[in-house]
Amino acid sequence: MLFQVGGQGTRPTFFEMAAAQQLPSSLRAALTYSLGVLALRRPFIHKILDYEDECFALLTLVLETHSLRTTDGSFAESLYGLRRRAVKIKVKGDIKGPDAREEINHTGLEKRQKILSVVFLVILPYLRSKLHSIYNKEREAALQASLWGNEDERFGDTNYFDGDGNPIVSTSGSDTEDSVRERLRKKIRKIIAACYPWIHAGNEGLSFAYQLLYLLDATGFYSLGLHALGIHVCRATGQELMDSSSRISKIRSRERERLRGPPWLKAVQRALLSCAYGVLDYAQTGLIAAVFFFKMMEWWYQSAEERMSAPTVYPPPPPPPPPKVAKEGIPLPTDRTLCPLCSQKRANPSVVSVSGLVFCYSCVFRYVSQYKRCPVTLMPATVDHIRRLFHDV
C-alpha cells in the first residue's frame, strides 16, 4: 500500500507525526492568547508577555527534559503514545553493494541523544523565534526608511562648530564605544535580515522533502533533526508503557534515597519532590485541559456578553387609530374603493397626509384649494399635504 493510513505496526502514521509536531506551536499560541486576555485585568502579566520566547523556552525545557528522561519521547510524542528509539543498521551476510540487505534495530536512547534532542526541541526553536522577530523588526525599519527616510542620515551627520572651527559638543571615549557597539549591532541585524529568508526557505524545503518521503514510506525519519540524531519515532507497546512506569518509580525511589540531612529536612524534601512529581506527571493533560477550559469559559462569557449587549428586538407598535369623522364633514362610504367626494371609484388616488384618507386627485385638489381643510375630518390642510399614491391597495 502506498500511503500508510492505518494503525498497524510500530511505525506511526504521517498524521500522528504531523499532529505531534504541530502541538507545541498550537499550545504556545493558546497560552499566549490566554495570557493576553488575563493581562487585560492583571497588567503585571504583560511582563511575562514581554519575555514570551524566554518563558515558553523555559517551560518547554522542563517538560521536554522530564518527558525524555521518563518516557524516551518528547512532550507531544508521549501524549500521542510515541517513543524515540535509536537506530542501528546492520548489513545481513557478507554481501556488499546494492544487493546487500540492511536490518534496522531499535534500541533505547543514549544520554547524548537525549541531550541533543533537548537542543533540537527547545534551543533551536527558541533561536528560530528570535531570528524571526529580528527579521520582522528589520523589515519594518527598512519599509519605514523607504517611506520617511533614515533618521541617521538626516540627523546623525550634522556637526556643530563654533567660530574657530572647534566642535561644540565633545564626545568621550565611552560614547564612542557605545556608538561602535551600536553600529556593530546594526550590522549583525542587517546580516540576519539578509540571510534569514534563505535559511528559513531551506529549512522549510528540507522539512517538506522529509515529510513527503516519510509519507511515501521512503524513509523512516520524519525530519532532518531526527535523521541527524539517528532516531526513529515508534509507537509504544503495552509492555513498554508498563516498563516505563516501573522505570519511573525506580528513578524516583533512588532520588528519595539520595536525600541527606536531619529527618525534618528529609520530610520537607520528600514533600517537595512529591509535589514536583505530581505537577510533572499531570503537566501534559493538565496544561492542555486548562487551555481548553479557559477557551470554553471565554466563549461562554463572550456569548453571554454578546447576548446582553445585543439590541433588544421589540414587537412592532400597533397602528394608530383611524381618523374620526367630523360632524360637519363628508361621511365615508362603506365601499373603501370609492371617493368620499364624488362617490365614484377613485381615479389617480391621492392621500391627505394630515388625516391619511384617500380621494380622487382632482376632487381633493379642488376641495382643499377652496376650503383649506380635509373634507372628512375638517383638519387644516393645504395642497402641499396631498400625496399621490401609485398603488391603490
Side-chain angles (χ1 to χ4, degrees), residues 66-73 78 81-85 114 235-254 281 284:
H66 173 72
S67 181
L68 286 169
R69 182 186 179 190
T70 55
T71 63
D72 283 348
S78 60
L82 305 178
R83 298 292 184 267
R84 294 193 171 199
R85 295 290 178 262
K114 292 182 179 180
R235 284 199 188 94
T237 61
Q239 185 63 35
E240 289 177 345
L241 294 176
M242 295 176 62
D243 294 342
S244 64
S245 60
S246 62
R247 184 178 60 179
I248 292 172
S249 61
K250 290 180 180 179
I251 292 174
R252 293 179 178 179
S253 63
R254 286 198 301 267
D281 288 340
Q284 294 177 345

Side-chain angles (χ1 to χ4, degrees), residues 300-317:
W300 179 269
Y301 285 111
Q302 184 177 4
S303 60
E305 291 178 359
E306 289 178 356
R307 289 195 300 269
M308 293 177 62
S309 61
T312 306
V313 180
Y314 296 100

